[in-house]
Each structure stands twice: as structure tokens, then as C-alpha cells.
């Protein structure tokens, strides 16, 4: 298992989990969302090839109402 | 046709509308519809992973083909946070447009000038179309233009305050100082505020709380649409000079005796 910090909370994922697999496990469709890994945006096109590593800090954001 | 052009994109409506604080998504959709707006702002926030992911989302109620979605960096207090948020928004929406906010104080929500300028330079250098929410400071606005911003968005009054145009003279000087569009942002409480901003010659106006917080947000959206259009027409028409004494409208000769 690997431990990551996801949206400020410690979570565990199986070794080799990709960003795409993480979003699927969380039940989140990638449309209108964005992922940051260790302060860099992960491009949508790299979701299936970017594997999470132990100690990663991840942010998953989406759009909400605002002014 | 009188249109507004920002970074090469043309808009028929000069009213930008926020999407926060509406009672329901349906009400927001109706307000956007009635306002005639073509630019709507949205915020970027963490997905709440404790909630089920099947609920309705904001983007189910806004057609991105009809409206330009303008993500903001509201709530960011540092250059770093604002830059990262803008980059995430670009990936989420596929748009380089950003309403840049770097806040300096939680009580007034006034911007942090140094942080804002630094973020504007970074993002403009990365190809973003940067529209900064800023103080109504002509010198700052000139620096933001020099930094590569596509427009400036000086506040009329504190965000959500509804105080209206607090310093029309500064807005006038900003209009003389910069060549990029001036979009009044924040503090517009009712239709007359919007008309005043447009009569000054401002190129557009963003409103959120003034519409969403009204008793009837949909009707206020329509009022803002009309006020922005009326104020713009009055500006183009050229108002009469103000004078202290009367000037009769009817002929002064030919009176009966």
C-alpha cells in the first residue's frame, strides 16, 4: 500500500494506483475536475500513465458557484 | 453594433454574472438566462470526498457553449495559491481565462496589491487571459496593464457590500490611464449603481451578490441587464454638462401679454 495526502486527508491506495484509477475508486468523473500532484497540475491526458507514489500530496478540485 | 472585446473575444452583453449564493441551481440558471450575460464566474474548490459523487453539479446548469466560464481564484491569500488555482482551473475548464484574486484581508476582502501583481505577471507569462480584481487605484491598474492583463476589474466597493460606486472619480482616472477594458467588479447593490458605472464609461460590470441576494434574483438580473444597457447608451449619447441654475426648455420669447 502507499500512503498519500488527498485533499488534506491521509489515504491509502494499492501500489501502482494511477490518477485515473484513483478517480475511479473515489467515484469521480474526470469531467470538470482537475488534479494537482505535489503542486503540479496533472494533465488529463496523463491520468492513465501517472502512478501515485508514497508520500504524494494530491488535490482534486472542481467548480462551484462563485463571484 | 456596440460590442465589448477582451483578448480578441467579442461580447454583446457587458454584464458579467457570478454564480454564487443562489438558493438553487435552477434559480441561478434562470437569472443567467434573463440577464443576457455571456460571461459567468465560477470558483475552484476541493471536491468533498466524504459525499457521494452522484449529486447535481453547477456545470449541469450552465451550457459552456453559450457562456464563457470565467474561473476565479477567490479565497486565495498568496500569489502561490492563486497561481496554482488558476492552473487547476485551466485544466478543469480548458480555458486560459481567469479572474485573478489575491486577497489581502478577510474582513474587507480587499486585494493584496503586491501579491496580485506578482501573480498577474506569472500567469500572463504562461499565456493566461488575466482579469484581475483590484483596487480602484489608477497606478496599480497601469501596472497590471503593463504586466500583460487583458482587462482590469477595479472594485466599486467591498465584495458583497452593495455600497455602489464609492469613487467615481478614481474610475474616471483609471479609464483615462489604461487602454485595456475596465470592468467594474464588486459592491454593486442595485440597478442604478450599474448604470452609474456604465455612464462613467466603464466597459463592463460584474455582479453576483447584488443579483443573487435580491428578494427576486431573476427580476434583479433583468434589472441589471437593462441598467447596464441604459448606462452604456447614456455614455455613448453624451450627457449634458451639469449647471447650477436653470436653463428653460421652452422658448422665452412669444409669450402672451
Amino acid at each position: 500500500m502507499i500512503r498519500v495526502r488527498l485533499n488534506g486527508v491521509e489515504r491509502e491506495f494499492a501500489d501502482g494506483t494511477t490518477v485515473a484509477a484513483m478517480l475511479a475508486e473515489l467515484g469521480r468523473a474526470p469531467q470538470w475536475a482537475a488534479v494537482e500532484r505535489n503542486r503540479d497540475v496533472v494533465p488529463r491526458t496523463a491520468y492513465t500513465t501517472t502512478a501515485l507514489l508514497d508520500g504524494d500530496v494530491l488535490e482534486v478540485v472542481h467548480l462551484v458557484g462563485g463571484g | 453594433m456596440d460590442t465589448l472585446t477582451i483578448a480578441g473575444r467579442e461580447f454583446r452583453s457587458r454584464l458579467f454574472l457570478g454564480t454564487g449564493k443562489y438558493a438553487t441551481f435552477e434559480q441561478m440558471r434562470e437569472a443567467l438566462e434573463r440577464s443576457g450575460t455571456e460571461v459567468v464566474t465560477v470558483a475552484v474548490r476541493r471536491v468533498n470526498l466524504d459525499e457521494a459523487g452522484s449529486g447535481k453539479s453547477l456545470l449541469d446548469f450552465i451550457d459552456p457553449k453559450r457562456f464563457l466560464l470565467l474561473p476565479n481564484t477567490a479565497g486565495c491569500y498568496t500569489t502561490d495559491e492563486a497561481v496554482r488555482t488558476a492552473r487547476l482551473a485551466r485544466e478543469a475548464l480548458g480555458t486560459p481565462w481567469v479572474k485573478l484574486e489575491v486577497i489581502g484581508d478577510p474582513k474587507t476582502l480587499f486585494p493584496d496589491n503586491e501579491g496580485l501583481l506578482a501573480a498577474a505577471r506569472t500567469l500572463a507569462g504562461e499565456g493566461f487571459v488575466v482579469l484581475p480584481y483590484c483596487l480602484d487605484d489608477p497606478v496599480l491598474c497601469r501596472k497590471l496593464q503593463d504586466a500583460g492583463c487583458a482587462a482590469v476589474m477595479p472594485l466599486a466597493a467591498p465584495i458583497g457590500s452593495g455600497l455602489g460606486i464609492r469613487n467615481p472619480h478614481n474610475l474616471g482616472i483609471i479609464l483615462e490611464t489604461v487602454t485595456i477594458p475596465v470592468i467594474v467588479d464588486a459592491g454593486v447593490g442595485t440597478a442604478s449603481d450599474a448604470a452609474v458605472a456604465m455612464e462613467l464609461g466603464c466597459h463592463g460590470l460584474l455582479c453576483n451578490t447584488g443579483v443573487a441576494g435580491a428578494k427576486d434574483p431573476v427580476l434583479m438580473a433583468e434589472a441589471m441587464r437593462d441598467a447596464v444597457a441604459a448606462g452604456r447608451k447614456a455614455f455613448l449619447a453624451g450627457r449634458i454638462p451639469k449647471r447650477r441654475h436653470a436653463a428653460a426648455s421652452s422658448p422665452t420669447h412669444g409669450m402672451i401679454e
Side-chain angles (χ1 to χ4, degrees):
Chain A
M1 297 296 277
I2 50 168
R3 289 182 71 80
V4 301
R5 194 164 181 82
L6 172 60
N7 285 4
V9 179
E10 298 285 337
R11 287 187 84 122
E12 288 190 340
F13 289 95
D15 289 335
T17 300
T18 62
V19 169
M22 174 190 76
L23 290 172
E25 195 175 322
L26 297 170
R28 304 291 160 170
Q31 205 200 5
W32 308 126
V35 179
E36 186 192 66
R37 174 169 171 256
N38 302 330
R39 307 171 70 83
D40 285 321
V41 172
V42 182
R44 213 172 284 266
T45 49
Y47 283 179
T48 54
T49 53
T50 305
L52 305 186
L53 295 175
D54 202 47
D56 275 355
V57 178
L58 298 147
E59 296 283 349
V60 179
V61 300
H62 64 158
L63 300 156
V64 300
Chain B
M1 176 100 190
D2 173 49
T3 56
L4 167 66
T5 303
I6 303 174
R9 183 158 171 169
E10 205 173 10
F11 304 98
R12 278 167 299 167
S13 167
R14 291 172 180 272
L15 176 62
F16 295 15
L17 224 55
T19 56
K21 297 187 179 177
Y22 289 93
T24 62
F25 285 139
E26 287 80 3
Q27 183 189 60
M28 176 204 70
R29 179 167 59 192
E30 185 67 15
L32 296 184
E33 187 70 38
R34 292 273 280 278
S35 74
T37 188
E38 293 165 80
V39 183
V40 298
T41 56
V42 294
V44 179
R45 288 293 178 271
R46 278 176 169 169
V47 170
N48 185 350
L49 298 171
D50 297 331
E51 284 176 4
S54 55
K56 291 269 183 201
S57 106
L58 177 75
L59 273 298
D60 296 329
F61 292 84
I62 305 171
D63 180 1
K65 289 187 200 76
R66 261 194 68 191
F67 302 100
L68 170 69
L69 290 166
L70 179 60
N72 67 30
T73 62
C76 292
Y77 278 79
T78 66
T79 300
D80 182 59
E81 284 169 8
V83 167
R84 286 167 58 205
T85 300
R87 289 172 181 156
L88 282 165
R90 176 165 66 177
E91 185 62 27
L93 283 169
T95 173
W97 289 61
V98 63
K99 185 194 147 192
L100 182 63
E101 298 187 31
V102 180
I103 303 300
D105 171 59
K107 197 167 178 182
T108 58
L109 296 179
F110 282 149
D112 177 306
N113 295 345
E114 290 92 342
L116 181 68
L117 258 175
R121 288 193 182 108
T122 299
L123 291 170
E126 292 179 14
F128 280 85
V129 176
V130 182
L131 286 69
Y133 154 71
C134 57
L135 287 175
D136 55 354
D137 172 349
V139 177
L140 176 70
C141 287
R142 194 190 65 224
K143 289 181 182 177
L144 288 165
Q145 175 173 273
D146 293 344
C149 293
V152 284
M153 303 189 71
L155 53 79
I159 293 172
S161 69
L163 287 173
I165 314 298
R166 294 296 79 209
N167 197 337
H169 304 289
N170 268 30
L171 289 177
I173 297 170
I174 290 168
L175 286 161
E176 289 169 6
T177 306
V178 300
T179 54
I180 51 179
V182 176
I183 314 294
V184 167
D185 182 6
V188 171
T190 189
S192 54
D193 298 336
V196 166
M198 299 310 293
E199 285 172 17
L200 287 168
C202 295
H203 302 91
L205 179 126
L206 168 61
C207 190
N208 190 156
T209 307
V211 169
K215 216 176 282 177
D216 183 342
V218 175
L219 190 57
M220 187 60 91
E222 202 176 306
M224 290 295 180
R225 177 196 70 192
D226 293 346
V228 166
R232 177 67 185 174
K233 282 177 190 165
F235 168 73
L236 293 173
R239 60 152 299 148
I240 59 162
K242 291 182 183 179
R243 46 191 292 162
R244 192 178 300 277
H245 298 116
S249 314
S250 308
T252 50
H253 56 88
M255 300 295 297
I256 58 166
E257 284 178 15

